[in-house]
Each structure stands twice: as structure tokens, then as C-alpha cells.
């Protein structure tokens, strides 16, 4: 599940970066070619920052999911113990009191 979510996020980032890159039409002439490079650098920097932010978000979500899973496991163990105690109590009582 986490791998699929990560793949979707990364696909979105790369496709949006490719789409943004394809939207920029290069201006004619040598002066336009020189001004295109800084814009590409800024887009690349923004895309890299977005990728890093998404990685941090994904890591935080995975950590939260792991902690939630541990809490659920602890609750399941507690429920199982309480059920055992209830069965022990019921086994010790006469059947007429049910």
C-alpha cells in the first residue's frame, strides 16, 4: 500500500515537472536560449524541493501508520486478555446465573 502510494506521488511529481517543462516555449534567437536556462534551473529547484517535501510527508505517514498498527496490536492483545478473564469468570459461576 505504501509503495503504491509512493509510486503515485512520484509519478505525479515527475509528470507535472515534465508537463511544466513542455509548456515553456523557447524564445527565438540566442538571447532567448540564455534566458531559458535560469528558468529551467528554478523549475528544477522547485521540483526537487517538492519531491523532498513529498518524501518527508510519505515518511511521516508511514511512521503514523506503523504507530497506529502497533496501538491496534496492543489493543487486540488487551481484548484477548479480557476475553480470557471473562471466560474464566463465567466458567467459575454456576450455569443458573447466566
Amino acid at each position: 500500500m505504501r509503495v503504491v502510494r509512493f509510486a503515485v506521488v512520484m509519478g505525479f511529481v515527475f509528470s507535472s515537472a515534465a508537463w511544466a517543462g513542455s509548456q515553456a516555449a523557447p524564445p527565438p534567437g540566442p538571447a532567448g536560449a540564455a534566458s531559458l536556462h535560469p528558468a529551467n534551473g528554478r523549475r528544477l529547484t522547485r521540483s526537487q524541493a517538492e519531491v523532498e517535501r513529498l518524501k518527508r510527508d510519505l515518511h511521516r505517514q508511514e511512521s503514523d501508520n506503523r504507530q497506529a498498527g502497533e496501538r491496534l496490536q496492543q489493543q487486540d492483545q488487551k481484548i484477548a486478555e479480557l476475553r480470557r478473564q471473562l471466560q474464566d469468570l463465567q466458567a467459575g459461576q454456576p450455569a443458573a446465573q447466566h
Side-chain angles (χ1 to χ4, degrees):
M1 178 70 168
R2 292 179 267 184
V3 173
V4 172
R5 192 175 355 177
F6 181 71
V8 168
V9 168
M10 295 307 291
F12 174 74
V13 168
F14 290 125
S15 64
S16 64
W19 180 78
S22 68
Q23 296 298 313
S35 67
L36 185 61
H37 294 292
N40 282 342
R42 285 190 297 273
R43 271 197 300 269
L44 178 61
T45 301
R46 282 194 305 266
S47 294
Q48 288 173 336
E50 179 71 6
V51 167
E52 290 303 315
R53 185 187 67 78
L54 291 170
K55 283 181 183 178
R56 284 191 308 272
D57 289 349
L58 180 63
H59 179 68
R60 187 186 73 246
Q61 288 176 354
E62 288 176 342
S63 176
D64 291 348
N65 287 342
R66 195 170 25 258
Q67 290 173 358
E70 290 171 0
R71 283 192 303 269
L72 285 174
Q73 187 177 12
Q74 290 172 354
Q75 288 175 349
D76 287 344
Q77 290 172 351
K78 186 171 186 173
I79 289 170
E81 177 61 28
L82 290 172
R83 282 184 178 158
R84 280 191 294 273
Q85 290 176 6
L86 179 61
Q87 288 174 350
D88 291 345
L89 286 173
Q90 289 174 341
Q93 296 175 352
Q97 291 182 358
H98 286 288

